[in-house]
Amino acid sequence: MNADRMLTPEEACDTVLAHIAPLGIERVSLLDATGRVLARDVLARRDNPPHDNSAMDGFAVRFADAQEATAEQPITLQVVEDIPAGTVPQKALEPGQASRIMTGAIVPEGADAIVPVEDTRSQGEQVAILDVEERGAHIRMRGEDMRGDEPVLEKGQVLGPGEISVLATLQQSFVTVYRRARVAIITTGDELVEIEDSVGPGQIVNGNTAALAAFCRAHGAEPLMLPIARDDMDDIRRTIETALDADFILSSGGVSVGDFDFVKQVLEEMQAKTIFWRVAMKPGKPLLFCTIGSTPYFGLPGNPVSSMMSFLQFVRPALHKAGGYPPAAWPLPRATALLDSTVENDGSRRNYMRCRLYYCNRSGALRASIFERQGSHMVSSMIGANGIALFAPEAQIKEGESVSVQIIGPIDQGEAPDA
């Protein structure tokens, strides 16, 4: 590949992914497994529930004994035992008998229905049945949730509270997951100061490191935030050498064509293999992707929105592939939305515009409200953005027409302008 050729976003993403391999696996405590990606299929060790049990407080009965019961003509049965949860029934039901049973308790042999307590009247050692729904009513059958030795969770699943509950039920105190990528974050520039420093004339606060670290955490990686590297080749080289202990390196700034953009020069001296350094997109055209040995290196633009946009389009898929996510989860989720206003892209590159996505209260349709401020330096334009609308070069999409969008946050409801 000619590294000087400007790639389409699809070509760039495919090229990045071709250079990414899944990381290793590790065993972690179940208590630390939330958000991790499962590295092996999980089989149920046993049936769940392990036995037929009651879903209600009430009485276990033989359906044949109680099926004709009504409130006007109840059927009276002899109560032969009480079965609290956590105990084992001692008696099988014979015709004309019932057992008082609590929720979760084992259903006794011979019983094939549970009558809720509100459909009964207790009469000492007897119970009057006022109604029974059907054979099997209110009985949780053995194995109806999980069958022993059958797959329950598949490799590649992200472990959320539901999956953690299943693993706990299966007594999996440790779980095998993909290792999280360690991502070194470098920000370069003499004009930058850290967030706790005072700001002098001509200086700006380094917000990119915090933003990229937040993105890394949100997408299952561990950020390693390095100090600002000044516009000095020796300082940049030392910082990059320190970062080589990580699985990925991200730098922000220093990759365009300015006289003081030294990152590319240092990487060339370090014998990095440049794959590409320009992408036909706005914002985010200057994007350097190279490898130093086997370590992927992303040289992101310095403008904050360009940096974040490049992360979402190219670094996120790489982290997801390395982290064991299934291929469908590598790119951002896509959808089609109706525009709230007419938008024109008069440039020669695809434009990625921040927007608010919402479901119209009246129609239920997904709609996109494009933010007025789209400058790549306007970090506040990311506030409230839960979508990115894609506009092809020299394209105009009118109000009410469909636009392709990427989803980057939760979607709520709202009123369309013409509602």
Side-chain angles (χ1 to χ4, degrees):
M1 174 184 291
N2 180 1
D4 288 330
R5 184 170 73 87
M6 184 156 59
L7 304 185
T8 66
E10 289 78 13
E11 288 175 329
C13 191
D14 289 345
T15 300
V16 166
L17 290 173
H19 288 80
I20 305 300
L23 298 171
I25 62 176
E26 61 184 357
R27 279 170 56 80
V28 299
S29 166
L30 182 62
L31 300 179
D32 297 323
T34 303
R36 302 300 294 270
V37 180
L38 197 61
R40 292 175 181 164
D41 294 344
V42 174
L43 305 182
R45 294 182 176 183
R46 61 184 68 87
D47 290 346
N48 189 61
H51 42 64
D52 296 350
N53 71 82
S54 177
M56 304 284 286
D57 291 344
F59 291 84
V61 304
R62 292 160 47 92
F63 181 73
D65 290 343
Q67 61 182 323
E68 301 297 333
T70 65
E72 293 75 23
Q73 293 184 314
I75 291 176
T76 301
L77 302 175
Q78 187 72 26
V79 179
V80 295
E81 71 172 330
D82 290 349
I83 312 173
T87 64
V88 177
Q90 301 300 306
K91 297 180 180 180
L93 291 189
E94 301 292 340
Q97 295 180 339
S99 292
R100 186 178 288 106
I101 193 167
M102 301 297 108
T103 301
I106 298 174
V107 175
E109 183 181 345
D112 57 3
I114 303 296
V115 181
V117 68
E118 55 266 30
D119 291 331
T120 67
R121 284 198 304 265
S122 291
Q123 302 171 342
E125 296 301 313
Q126 296 181 323
V127 62
I129 306 299
L130 311 180
D131 183 45
V132 61
E133 295 179 18
E134 59 184 354
R135 183 174 279 107
H138 305 299
I139 294 178
R140 302 164 177 160
M141 306 303 292
R142 173 176 177 169
E144 71 175 19
D145 182 20
M146 293 180 277
R147 285 284 184 187
D149 295 325
E150 290 188 356
V152 178
L153 297 174
E154 295 182 353
K155 173 182 175 180
Q157 284 189 263
V158 179
L159 300 178
E163 291 77 13
I164 296 296
S165 176
V166 167
L167 290 166
T169 300
L170 297 176
Q171 297 184 294
Q172 295 264 15
S173 55
F174 284 83
V175 60
T176 302
V177 296
Y178 284 98
R179 186 168 63 81
R180 281 179 168 156
R182 299 171 69 248
V183 182
I185 301 174
I186 303 169
T187 306
T188 67
D190 285 341
E191 75 279 14
L192 298 176
V193 296
E194 298 290 13
I195 57 176
E196 65 273 11
D197 296 335
S198 59
V199 182
Q203 294 182 317
I204 59 175
V205 177
N206 172 24
N208 284 359
T209 294
L212 293 173
F215 271 127
C216 286
R217 292 190 185 97
H219 296 289
E222 297 178 1
L224 307 173
M225 295 177 284
L226 300 180
I228 295 170
R230 298 305 170 186
D231 286 329
D232 173 85
M233 295 185 67
D234 289 336
D235 192 21
I236 293 171
R237 183 182 295 104
R238 284 191 296 269
T239 304
I240 293 175
E241 288 171 347
T242 300
L244 285 172
D245 288 335
D247 301 303
F248 289 82
I249 302 175
L250 308 183
S251 68
S252 178
V255 296
S256 60
V257 294
D259 290 340
F260 298 104
D261 290 339
F262 296 131
V263 172
K264 284 179 63 179
Q265 298 178 52
V266 171
L267 289 170
E268 289 173 0
E269 290 185 1
M270 296 179 69
Q271 299 184 333
K273 180 182 178 183
T274 299
I275 313 299
F276 63 83
W277 67 279
R278 294 186 302 164
V279 181
M281 61 182 289
K282 179 183 178 181
K285 175 183 174 182
L287 171 67
L288 172 66
F289 178 64
C290 65
T291 55
I292 309 175
S294 61
T295 305
Y297 184 109
F298 293 86
L300 307 179
N303 278 324
V305 175
S306 300
S307 179
M308 289 187 274
M309 198 66 65
S310 295
F311 182 100
L312 289 170
Q313 303 305 319
F314 308 109
V315 181
R316 178 191 185 275
L319 293 179
H320 278 212
K321 182 178 180 181
Y325 289 78
W330 298 348
L332 289 167
R334 296 283 289 265
T336 299
L338 303 179
L339 274 179
D340 278 357
S341 58
T342 298
V343 176
E344 183 174 359
N345 176 17
D346 56 5
S348 60
R349 291 173 279 150
R350 183 185 301 162
N351 204 335
Y352 291 68
M353 292 191 174
R354 282 84 74 200
C355 66
R356 173 182 172 249
L357 299 175
Y358 66 95
Y359 292 106
C360 178
N361 284 330
R362 185 176 60 181
S363 67
L366 181 63
R367 299 190 66 98
S369 177
I370 306 299
F371 292 171
E372 181 177 349
R373 301 193 305 164
Q374 293 288 331
S376 62
H377 63 291
M378 293 181 174
V379 65
S380 64
S381 68
M382 292 295 290
I383 296 174
N386 62 355
I388 301 167
L390 310 182
F391 293 89
E394 301 178 355
Q396 182 189 75
I397 302 180
K398 296 181 179 179
E399 176 184 347
E401 293 183 341
S402 297
V403 64
S404 180
V405 296
Q406 297 172 327
I407 300 169
I408 62 172
I411 302 174
D412 56 11
Q413 292 184 310
E415 293 292 342
D418 57 351

